[in-house]
Amino acid sequence: MSLVLDAVQSSLGASEPWPDDTTLFQQYQVEQITLPDTVQCIAVETFLHICGLNFKVEQRVNAEEMSPSGQVPFIRVGAYLISEFDPIVAFVKSKGFSLSEDLSDTERSEMKAYMSMVENILGNAELYMAWINPEIANEVTKPRYSCSQPWPLKWILPWMKQRQVNARLATSDWDSKTVDDVCKEVRMCCGALSERLGDKQYFFGDKPTELDAMVFGHLYTLLTTVLPGGHFTAVVQDFLNLTSFCKRIEDTYFRLDDQ
C-alpha cells in the first residue's frame, strides 16, 4: 500500500468512531513469527494500549500475504486496513488519539529524531541478526519463516526474504558489518536512549509518547527473545533504566492481558 493511499484512508476514517471489533493481525507467535516482525507487532500493540483503544489480536499463518503492504502487523478498523507502525499512528491520530499532542514543536522534532535513530540502528540490527547472522538465520529465522510452507517454497521463500533483507542492509553498508560491529551500534543506540530517559518515567516526562511505544517494542523483544549467542540481550541489560522502563510499560499496559 502506498503512503498516499494510507493518507487517503486516514482521512476517510476520521469521521467514524473507533470500532470495538478492531483486529490486529500477525503471524503465529510461538512457531512462526521472526524477531523483526515481533518487534513491530509489540510496538503497535503497545501504542494501541497506551491510546486506550480496544482491539483483539488475531494470528494468521498467512498474515504477511494478507497485509496491504506485505508487512506485519496490520490492523482492520471497520472497512480500513492499515499496516506498519507509522501509518497506523497516523490513522489513529486522524481519529483524535495522539500521544504527543502536548509536546512542543521542538520536542516533537526531537521525538521523531530518536524514532529515526531507533529504526535505523535497532531495526537494522534486528534484521542483520535474524537474517544475516548464519547461526541465527539457519537455526531460527528460516525454519520459523517457512514453517507453514510446502517444499520447495519452504526453501525458496526464506532465500528470497534473505536476499531482500541483504539488499536493504547494503544500502547503508550494514551487510558488511560483523556481529561485534552490530553490537557496538546497538550499545551506542541504547546509550543515547538511556541518557535521554535519565530518571524519568518516560522519554518526555510522566506520559508515554509514540517513541515510548516504539522503544518498548524493540527493547522488550531483545530482552525476552532467546537466540543463539544472546548478544543483544546482554547489551540491553547493561542499561538499568531501560530495563526498568520496559518493566514499567509491561506492568502498566500489558498486565490486564494476563488476567
Side-chain angles (χ1 to χ4, degrees):
M1 178 184 296
S2 68
L3 292 178
V4 172
L5 186 53
D6 282 332
V8 170
Q9 286 193 339
S10 296
S11 176
L12 289 174
S15 60
E16 301 174 6
W18 188 264
D20 289 334
D21 62 349
T22 296
T23 304
L24 181 148
F25 291 92
Q26 65 171 65
Q27 304 100 322
Y28 280 95
Q29 191 166 345
V30 174
E31 62 268 58
Q32 185 184 17
I33 198 167
T34 63
L35 174 71
D37 288 343
T38 299
V39 168
Q40 297 304 317
C41 291
I42 291 178
V44 170
E45 284 189 54
T46 305
F47 171 72
L48 295 175
H49 277 309
I50 294 174
C51 289
L53 297 173
N54 294 324
F55 69 98
K56 65 177 180 179
V57 176
E58 189 164 321
Q59 300 179 30
R60 294 285 187 89
V61 69
N62 61 337
E64 193 174 62
E65 289 77 20
M66 292 170 59
S67 169
S69 69
Q71 302 292 326
V72 293
F74 70 97
I75 59 174
R76 183 181 63 204
V77 186
Y80 309 109
L81 296 177
I82 311 95
S83 60
E84 303 180 66
F85 187 85
D86 286 342
I88 290 172
V89 168
F91 183 89
V92 170
K93 184 178 180 180
S94 76
K95 295 288 191 179
F97 301 94
S98 174
L99 301 180
S100 54
E101 62 182 355
D102 294 332
L103 300 184
S104 66
D105 290 343
T106 300
E107 288 174 327
R108 273 192 288 270
S109 295
E110 186 179 0
M111 182 190 73
K112 291 178 181 177
Y114 275 97
M115 292 175 72
S116 177
M117 177 190 70
V118 168
E119 279 302 301
N120 289 333
I121 297 180
L122 296 187
N124 281 344
E126 291 146 6
L127 287 170
Y128 176 98
M129 201 60 76
W131 287 102
I132 307 302
N133 180 283
E135 184 179 17
I136 296 175
N138 294 328
E139 293 183 15
V140 181
T141 308
K142 289 181 180 179
R144 291 181 69 85
Y145 188 77
S146 63
C147 70
S148 65
Q149 301 296 336
W151 180 264
L153 291 178
K154 186 178 287 289
W155 178 82
I156 294 173
L157 293 181
W159 175 76
M160 292 175 61
K161 181 69 173 184
Q162 190 173 48
R163 288 193 63 188
Q164 179 187 41
V165 170
N166 195 76
R168 170 177 167 175
L169 294 179
T171 62
S172 52
D173 295 326
W174 273 73
D175 62 322
S176 60
K177 292 182 183 293
T178 66
V179 171
D180 286 343
D181 293 334
V182 173
C183 287
K184 288 178 182 177
E185 294 277 2
V186 171
R187 183 171 296 277
M188 180 191 71
C189 183
C190 287
L193 291 172
S194 177
E195 184 176 353
R196 181 66 182 85
L197 180 62
D199 59 0
K200 301 187 297 298
Q201 280 197 311
Y202 304 107
F203 286 98
F204 286 89
D206 59 358
K207 293 182 180 179
T209 65
E210 293 86 351
L211 174 63
D212 295 276
M214 173 184 281
V215 170
F216 176 77
H218 286 274
L219 298 186
Y220 181 81
T221 303
L222 297 184
L223 284 168
T224 59
T225 302
V226 179
L227 293 173
H231 304 88
F232 294 164
T233 301
V235 171
V236 178
Q237 286 175 337
D238 284 341
F239 297 91
L240 296 182
N241 64 339
L242 295 183
T243 59
S244 296
F245 163 82
C246 288
K247 185 68 165 60
R248 183 159 50 251
I249 292 280
E250 181 184 21
D251 288 346
T252 304
Y253 296 103
F254 284 87
R255 61 172 178 253
L256 294 178
D257 289 354
D258 299 327
Q259 296 179 1

